[in-house]
Amino acid sequence: MTMKALGIHLLIELWSCNRQKIDEMNYLERIMTEAAEAAGATVLKTAFQDFNPQGVSGVVVIAESHLTIHTWPEYGYAAIDIFTCGTKVSPWKAAAYLQKELEAGDIHVREFQRGFPLTVEVNRPHPEFVTHDACSTAHSQ
Amino acid sequence: MTMKALGIHLLIELWSCNRQKIDEMNYLERIMTEAAEAAGATVLKTAFQDFNPQGVSGVVVIAESHLTIHTWPEYGYAAIDIFTCGTKVSPWKAAAYLQKELEAGDIHVREFQRGFPLTVEVNRPHPEFVTHDACSTAHSQ
């Protein structure tokens, strides 16, 4: 399907991570925030939760969409996704930062475009809107 | 790549939504929470943000991973993703609930497995671990 891309969404599998690091909620909250900043994003909110006996889930809401992480320390595995809209932010920079920080031995990334079909008629706020960064109009403060 | 699936991740495009509804943060926070419950998930935390002049971003952290939404009211478009681990939760039920609530005229869903390669050696906490629901062990309280 041909879509007008409003953003890029990465599904990232990190394997053979440092098992101690991916079980530390405060550390993960810090590096997820730093990853967002490495991507050039503006951090708005975070929500993290650790689990018993192990594992952490966390999300970072950014002006350009989000980053999430879910970890399985018992497997050395972290599932991450990074969704960024606009052209000024690079989700790949965030992915590289996290791979390095978590000492992941292996990484697999799937990249997808998010948006709407080109056949959808766009209700433009003003005539020159198509030349603007859609994200910066809708999703930045 | 053959992976041991720990969860299902849906990337959902909702088009021709009710433009007023997808610009109301409190409403979206409520129905995203309800969607999680419709899926059979346990809601842990939420983080929502609205934008000027329009648009909302929000995440719901669940014991089984997360739901997120980002809306572009000017396009009638909502980008949603739902990641659930374990076999007791159905992300498709959440998707159907949101499609109905947001009065989406069209929906497109991509489904992916999340996990690790079967070649990775698993450090099992106890011998019978493979017969358990990995998610319920790691990510439920």
Side-chain angles (χ1 to χ4, degrees):
Chain A
M1 179 180 294
T2 302
M3 294 202 296
K4 174 173 171 56
L6 293 177
I8 295 171
H9 204 145
L10 305 183
L11 300 188
I12 303 165
E13 324 295 326
L14 290 185
W15 301 302
S16 304
C17 296
N18 181 313
R19 293 179 183 218
Q20 186 173 354
K21 283 186 167 182
I22 63 172
D23 202 21
E24 293 179 10
M25 185 181 74
N26 293 337
Y27 165 76
L28 292 177
E29 185 165 4
R30 177 170 65 78
I31 68 161
M32 288 289 284
T33 301
E34 290 172 354
E37 292 166 349
T42 301
V43 174
L44 298 176
K45 294 186 176 182
T46 64
F48 280 72
Q49 173 81 43
D50 54 4
F51 297 95
N52 185 11
Q54 58 201 339
V56 176
S57 283
V59 296
V60 178
V61 179
I62 55 178
E64 301 82 3
S65 291
H66 74 254
L67 300 84
T68 75
I69 187 169
H70 306 280
T71 70
W72 281 257
E74 69 273 35
Y75 298 144
Y77 167 71
I80 292 169
D81 81 279
I82 305 174
F83 177 21
T84 63
C85 59
T87 56
K88 296 171 184 169
V89 179
S90 168
W92 288 94
K93 289 184 180 175
Y97 182 85
L98 293 168
Q99 178 187 23
K100 183 179 176 186
E101 273 292 330
L102 298 176
E103 303 171 25
D106 204 355
I107 182 171
H108 182 237
V109 184
R110 289 173 279 190
E111 177 179 341
F112 305 97
Q113 290 194 335
R114 305 296 303 268
F116 50 86
L118 289 176
T119 52
V120 167
E121 186 174 350
V122 176
N123 180 18
R124 298 188 182 91
H126 41 73
E128 72 275 25
F129 186 75
V130 288
T131 64
H132 286 195
D133 178 342
C135 177
S136 68
T137 301
H139 275 196
S140 295
Q141 292 184 301
Chain B
M1 179 183 293
T2 303
M3 295 202 297
K4 173 173 171 55
L6 293 177
I8 295 171
H9 204 145
L10 303 184
L11 300 188
I12 304 164
E13 324 295 325
L14 290 185
W15 300 301
S16 304
C17 296
N18 181 314
R19 293 178 183 220
Q20 186 173 355
K21 283 186 168 183
I22 63 173
D23 202 22
E24 294 178 9
M25 186 182 73
N26 292 338
Y27 165 76
L28 292 177
E29 185 165 4
R30 176 171 65 78
I31 68 160
M32 287 289 285
T33 301
E34 291 173 353
E37 293 166 349
T42 301
V43 174
L44 298 176
K45 294 186 176 183
T46 63
F48 279 72
Q49 174 80 43
D50 54 4
F51 297 95
N52 185 12
Q54 58 200 339
V56 176
S57 283
V59 296
V60 178
V61 180
I62 55 178
E64 302 82 2
S65 291
H66 74 253
L67 300 84
T68 75
I69 186 168
H70 305 280
T71 69
W72 281 258
E74 69 273 35
Y75 298 145
Y77 168 71
I80 292 170
D81 81 278
I82 305 174
F83 178 20
T84 62
C85 59
T87 55
K88 296 171 184 167
V89 178
S90 167
W92 288 93
K93 288 184 180 174
Y97 181 84
L98 292 169
Q99 178 187 23
K100 183 179 177 186
E101 271 293 329
L102 298 176
E103 303 170 24
D106 204 356
I107 183 172
H108 182 238
V109 184
R110 290 172 280 190
E111 177 179 340
F112 305 97
Q113 289 194 338
R114 305 297 303 269
F116 51 84
L118 289 175
T119 52
V120 168
E121 187 174 352
V122 176
N123 181 17
R124 297 190 182 90
H126 41 70
E128 71 275 26
F129 187 75
V130 289
T131 63
H132 286 195
D133 178 341
C135 177
S136 67
T137 300
H139 276 197
S140 294
Q141 294 185 300

